Amino acid sequence: MKALSKGKASTIYEVAQRAGVSIATVSRALRDSDLVTADTRAKVKAAAAELRFTPNRSGRALAEGRHAANGIVFPDLVGPYYAEVVLGYEEAAAAVGSSVLILATHGRADAAAAVQELAGRVDGLAIMGQTVGDDVVRDIAATGLPLVLLARAPVAGVDTISTRNQRTAGQLTEHLLGHGHRRFAFLGDPAGSPDVAGRYAGLAAALRTRGLVPPPPVPCGLDLDSGERAARDLLAHPPDAVICANDEIALGVHLAAEQRRIHIPGDVAVTGWDDLMAARFAHLTTVAQPMRELGAVAARWLHRRIGERTARTDGRTSAARRRVLPTRLVVRRSCGTHPSEVHK
Amino acid sequence: MKALSKGKASTIYEVAQRAGVSIATVSRALRDSDLVTADTRAKVKAAAAELRFTPNRSGRALAEGRHAANGIVFPDLVGPYYAEVVLGYEEAAAAVGSSVLILATHGRADAAAAVQELAGRVDGLAIMGQTVGDDVVRDIAATGLPLVLLARAPVAGVDTISTRNQRTAGQLTEHLLGHGHRRFAFLGDPAGSPDVAGRYAGLAAALRTRGLVPPPPVPCGLDLDSGERAARDLLAHPPDAVICANDEIALGVHLAAEQRRIHIPGDVAVTGWDDLMAARFAHLTTVAQPMRELGAVAARWLHRRIGERTARTDGRTSAARRRVLPTRLVVRRSCGTHPSEVHK
DNA sequence: GTGAAAGCGCTAACAC
DNA sequence: GTGTTAGCGCTTTCAC
């Protein structure tokens, strides 16, 4: 047993030589094919262990025509939202034997190229939010690569998973109206994402039902700092309630209010969206989304699509799927303390 | 221009045929080699664009002998800590042109196999915390794969990056002593991780310096629920101060105290570690760690190691590196409100 | 049951 | 400047 030469990974040829068999037999034995005798298998596995052999995945991927890896693309890294989705995705992908590649686009101009390059490394791809344009999505879909869109406006022929926005935003609005609030502000940019658009639409619809005029949205980034900055202006003349497009914005408002010694909910009600861990400790009324589940469903759908793809010889696949995951209103103190609360 | 046949990605051969050149020329043109005329390059790029050609990375990886991808292994998914590290890693890796594979071990028994398999897909690997044993680390290191350990006890010959625990824990303890606290409790399991061990050691050392006897640690998982559960017993007879191994535990204590109507810091002081976003809103005194930076440094070190590896023909590489990133005490309300505060 | 050999898609000598 | 061709490490027919 000669020692390992440090610095280079061993190949199937070395294992074959050491075990005294052919590379074909090594390949079979290591993958527990029943085309080898138990004896040979043991011999091969011993040799592989001695050499600390791990098959080079590029070689295998090329030979098998598949990567055994999926990718997920998300726009940005700020805040826990995307992290949760990615982790749900990883968990589900690992469960079906797929490695996971991640890509953050950071709103970079060359995002499209990076996504295209990623597409060449994986068997399936999940694309979140506003990372790349519809044209890129269509191009990739046209290659036949299984794709699923997350929290993003649908593209013809591509699977899409999102979370319920409009209806729950309506519930939230009703709840605030129940507190007696009438003058609202909305912090967030409906043009920036379909999620924010849905939340604003839900607010607007609920107000109109009550004969109230919806406020124009106040455009705002989805991070804490943007929320704090936007709030500095807004709180000069506080409305009854500030509905924020997500928790980070709401937490920013919280900080700005603290600085101005404006009391929440006494002087102004504030709500968020996402139910981040921090929301609980800021006593923020918000909407909980199944972020982990969002990622997990995406991974499972891709797995099935990949299976379909290899199963069929013709190009046909089943129709594009849609799914909207339910969200849930989480009432805490920030929306008001009036006894008129209906939701308990 | 005949239409694309949906369902299969195009290859370099098809591009070559369409452009009327050889595959070698396609390869060169697409990689902007200056061995092709501008004219040919344009022709090839046009053909590639028409076919929506993206090079298959497995083929390229096999030919180049490198994956252009790095991996990162982390134990678990609970809480924002690992997410931050991973995202810092991704960002830095992307900056040097590396894709990123993630793997969560979840304390699974077959973690070693999963990590070994990952090792076969990447040019370098970052391994966090208690994901796999030293034996696995040594095996992988022996293959010559560049490796970096994160927040983990060092292994001979392998690069390690960690954050400062003991000294800052001492500062934290001094601060608490300054508030007049004398009876302490420590929530966390020093045997579970070197980070926790370091934090406890810092506490113990600081107390001994003052002639006080350190409390035995109260073993506790690193998540919110574990903290809340542990606090239920602990708060029956509250000490002056509860020093928690991380923020999630401290936030759990916070919730338990709220339920029992025990006031923080009036009745008991509480501190955490990590400075999560939620810590700010729970007014938690804690220690900030550069989590993003931790990941980013790992990615940069790996990049350099990979460069060294291909540069040298002999097996030699420079000695194993160590780095300890600084941490910073963040004083908020949860540690006490006495006027004797020294740290501002 | 095992081996020989033909690729998988790409890069990089080496010719011309 | 461009084409030919030999691999990269592996899986998988196809013979034996």
Side-chain angles (χ1 to χ4, degrees), chain B residues 109-127:
Chain B
D110 61 342
V115 173
Q116 290 280 10
E117 124 92 34
L118 179 60
R121 299 180 164 266
V122 295
D123 301 323
L125 199 53
I127 298 182

Side-chain angles (χ1 to χ4, degrees), chain B:
Chain B
M1 273 204 282
K2 86 164 195 286
L4 292 167
S5 60
K6 159 156 182 166
K8 64 183 201 345
S10 43
T11 75
I12 198 172
Y13 287 91
E14 303 171 47
V15 178
Q17 185 170 20
R18 191 179 195 101
V21 298
S22 74
I23 59 163
T25 300
V26 173
S27 176
R28 292 183 190 113
L30 257 28
R31 310 166 76 251
D32 289 319
S33 156
D34 41 353
L35 289 167
V36 286
T37 59
D39 202 39
T40 311
R41 190 198 318 286
K43 207 165 51 180
V44 168
K45 289 200 168 178
E50 283 165 15
L51 291 169
R52 309 202 185 309
F53 170 71
T54 311
N56 177 316
R57 288 299 320 208
S58 300
R60 185 187 286 217
L62 196 52
E64 289 183 334
R66 55 185 222 97
H67 303 270
N70 289 0
I72 181 164
V73 181
F74 44 93
D76 215 282
L77 307 178
V78 292
Y81 174 85
Y82 293 111
E84 288 288 327
V85 179
V86 169
L87 297 177
Y89 185 82
E90 194 277 346
E91 205 155 8
V96 296
S98 236
S99 293
V100 172
L101 285 139
I102 59 175
L103 173 66
T105 55
H106 305 109
R108 286 184 313 220
D110 61 342
V115 173
Q116 290 280 10
E117 124 92 34
L118 179 60
R121 299 180 164 266
V122 295
D123 301 323
L125 199 53
I127 298 182
M128 291 203 72
Q130 310 313 301
T131 44
V132 288
D134 287 5
D135 50 340
V136 177
V137 172
R138 269 190 291 263
D139 277 5
I140 296 177
T143 67
L145 187 79
L147 226 50
V148 51
L149 268 25
L150 258 35
R152 184 194 201 287
V155 170
V158 182
D159 293 348
T160 304
I161 311 173
S162 53
T163 52
R164 185 177 295 151
N165 286 305
Q166 189 154 349
R167 199 197 304 178
T168 312
Q171 284 173 22
L172 173 64
T173 307
E174 293 291 343
H175 182 85
L176 292 168
L177 288 165
H179 275 297
H181 304 309
R182 288 298 176 270
R183 296 175 306 119
F184 294 88
F186 182 86
L187 242 45
D189 182 10
S193 93
D195 276 337
V196 176
R199 291 164 203 173
Y200 179 71
L203 164 69
L207 291 180
R208 287 204 194 89
T209 301
R210 295 291 200 101
L212 298 169
V213 179
V218 178
C220 177
L222 292 166
D223 58 306
L224 192 85
D225 286 344
S226 299
E228 191 173 358
R229 237 176 293 126
R232 278 202 278 264
D233 295 341
L234 195 67
L235 294 180
H237 306 284
D240 294 343
V242 181
I243 297 182
C244 303
N246 74 358
D247 278 354
E248 288 205 52
I249 296 176
L251 292 169
V253 174
H254 183 105
L255 292 177
E258 214 163 48
Q259 282 162 28
R260 285 176 166 269
R261 308 204 175 283
I262 292 176
H263 185 250
I264 297 171
D267 302 319
V268 60
V270 176
T271 69
W273 200 287
D274 284 349
D275 195 25
L276 303 186
M277 190 190 289
R280 182 167 179 185
F281 294 92
H283 308 288
L284 187 64
T285 290
T286 185
V287 175
Q289 301 197 68
M291 298 179 287
R292 297 279 257 252
E293 182 68 5
L294 188 60
V297 173
R300 286 188 223 113
W301 280 20
L302 281 177
H303 182 65
R304 190 173 45 195
R305 284 289 190 206
I306 293 163
E308 284 177 6
R309 194 157 112 98
T310 54
R312 308 202 179 208
T313 49
D314 54 24
R316 296 190 328 108
T317 59
S318 43
R321 293 171 158 272
R322 295 279 163 81
R323 176 113 110 224
V324 179
L325 300 179
T327 53
R328 183 176 50 84
L329 182 60
V330 178
V331 177
R332 299 202 181 94
R333 295 211 296 259
S334 74
C335 59
T337 49
H338 302 226
S340 61
E341 286 186 26
V342 184
H343 310 254
K344 188 62 197 168

Side-chain angles (χ1 to χ4, degrees), chain A residues 22 25 28 35-37 40 62-63:
Chain A
S22 74
T25 300
R28 291 183 189 116
L35 289 166
V36 286
T37 59
T40 312
L62 196 51

Side-chain angles (χ1 to χ4, degrees), chain A residues 13 133 269 289 292 337 339-341:
Chain A
Y13 288 91
Q289 301 197 69
R292 296 281 257 253
T337 49
S340 62
E341 283 186 29

